Amino acid sequence: MAEEKKATRKKIQAADRMNKIMADYFYGLNEAAATGKRKVAWCTSVGPAELLQALGFAVHFPENHAAMLGATRMSTDLIPEANAIGYSPDICSYLTADIGAYLKGTTPLAKAYPGIGSVPKPDVLVYNTNQCRDVQDWMAWYSKRLGVPSIGVTSPKNVNDVTDAHIDDVTRQIEALIPTLEGIAGVKLDMDRLRETVTLSRECTELWKQVLETAIASPAPITFFDGTIHMGPAVVLRGTREAIDYYKVLLAELEQRIRDGVGAVDGETSRIYWEGMPVWGRLRQHSELFANLKSTVLASTYCSSWIFPSFDGNDPIRSMAKAYLELFIVRSDRYKEKYIKEMLEKFRIDGIIYHDAKTCPYNSNSRYGLPGRVETETGVPSLVISGDLNDLRLISDEQTKTNIEAFIEQIAEGR
């Protein structure tokens, strides 16, 4: 049998600039922790990062680190370390991989960025349970281990319409964090600086949305797999000018691709929506699988999780509360179905893949009949694949490949 030719998605040239920005970010974190010139806060990915930025903290995002553990395929060997101290193999593999890495004294940062030996030691841990309860447990472990305070926001779940009562609640919780954070930072919160930071986050989020929506074009100039990489600045540097400047460059490159009729995948014949978490340790493999099938996975709820249209510099704290409450992961199934149907139409999707991530039930929307309801109402076929975000022991590569190939063939036959 002839060796299968591996297709790849086209490289985005702006990636080199992004890599430099991310390197500067991690080296800045390392310097802050090493010198003590800036206090270090750990923050969950959709926690009050703007507040921390405005108070002058250097901000580390454990979920970003956990995703790196997954992408470098370190996590599968580290998760058992957390299991051995009592953390179930069924809970978030971001949490177990990250704690396992700490217990083993290892980090992918050391290889990627020479001179960095560990994640930065925190002065405070800040969470928002809008993603899941696991982030609070995650920060609680480090709080006890490192002897630093863990504070945060407890958000409602299964929200259909975000009401004033919801916003009032979360606003009060964010405001309650401020005295503790001021005491640790050694400065009073400058509201003008917070307004500026939230305004910058709003500009970043608008640009990131425009980047993702270039995939409306046919052929799509960007894939979901590109998005999981290029969302880095939107995750760790929102509220900064660096993120804004980067997305202007990336957007210009993608708009040029559209003008030139250049797709991320050569000969695009089908357009796929990805619902759920990435399989971090299989990004390249999955990218090549779809490219070989001339299929573009071009949109996702995951990458859109860092679009916050409600940020408003004129009312920074309340708008932060509203923005964090509107996150897809905390919404009701009724809202999610409506949102997904709108995305399928907007991006002219031929098929939707739901990733049922074993250790991430909050970000797996295939367990309570949603795929069938959406397919019945839209006629867009769907496929559920079993896997995980970080624990590669939970993935059957051959089964995934066979199921996806059959699904893409089904789409072609249905035309």
Side-chain angles (χ1 to χ4, degrees), residues 378-394:
T378 65
V380 177
S382 61
L383 170 69
V384 178
I385 62 169
S386 299
D388 193 58
L389 51 162
N390 266 17
D391 193 340
L392 298 182
R393 296 171 298 179
L394 302 173

Side-chain angles (χ1 to χ4, degrees), residues 4-223:
E4 183 180 338
K5 181 183 177 182
K6 294 292 184 184
T8 58
R9 67 186 189 276
K10 293 183 179 65
K11 180 183 177 182
I12 292 175
Q13 298 307 312
D16 292 337
R17 180 184 180 121
M18 186 197 69
N19 291 337
K20 173 65 166 57
I21 291 170
M22 295 298 286
D24 290 345
Y25 161 73
F26 284 116
Y27 279 119
L29 272 177
N30 189 62
E31 181 183 15
T35 65
K37 290 180 180 178
R38 296 174 67 193
K39 298 293 185 179
V40 175
W42 287 14
C43 184
T44 57
S45 62
V46 194
E50 290 76 19
L51 178 60
L52 299 171
Q53 292 270 14
L55 282 163
F57 286 97
V59 187
H60 167 73
F61 295 86
E63 286 139 299
N64 173 251
H65 184 253
M68 293 177 69
L69 288 166
T72 53
R73 293 176 292 283
M74 296 172 66
S75 55
T76 301
D77 293 331
L78 297 171
I79 289 167
E81 299 293 324
N83 300 154
I85 63 168
Y87 284 89
S88 168
D90 294 327
I91 67 168
C92 173
S93 59
Y94 269 1
L95 181 160
T96 50
D98 188 65
I99 289 178
Y102 182 87
L103 293 170
K104 290 285 286 184
T106 188
T107 174
L109 296 173
K111 184 175 181 180
Y113 306 106
I116 297 180
S118 65
V119 295
K121 185 179 184 300
D123 296 288
V124 65
L125 307 154
V126 185
Y127 60 83
N128 188 341
T129 64
N130 50 8
Q131 297 126 290
C132 59
R133 65 156 283 175
D134 295 58
V135 295
Q136 185 174 4
D137 294 280
W138 193 347
M139 296 300 100
W141 186 86
Y142 279 110
S143 177
K144 185 174 181 180
R145 181 83 177 198
L146 301 176
V148 297
S150 176
I151 59 176
V153 173
T154 303
S155 290
K157 300 289 189 298
N158 299 316
V159 176
N160 187 42
D161 297 318
V162 175
T163 67
D164 284 342
H166 291 128
I167 300 168
D168 290 344
D169 175 30
V170 174
T171 298
R172 285 192 293 266
Q173 291 189 61
I174 295 174
E175 290 172 340
L177 303 177
I178 293 172
T180 299
L181 293 172
E182 287 178 331
I184 295 167
V187 298
K188 298 293 288 184
L189 176 63
D190 182 335
M191 286 303 296
D192 286 337
R193 186 173 179 186
L194 180 60
R195 291 186 189 98
E196 179 186 12
T197 303
V198 171
T199 299
L200 291 171
S201 273
R202 173 59 186 265
E203 189 173 352
C204 173
T205 204
E206 288 294 332
L207 285 164
W208 178 234
K209 180 181 180 182
Q210 290 177 53
V211 164
L212 294 179
E213 289 188 350
T214 62
I216 292 172
S218 182
I222 188 172
T223 73

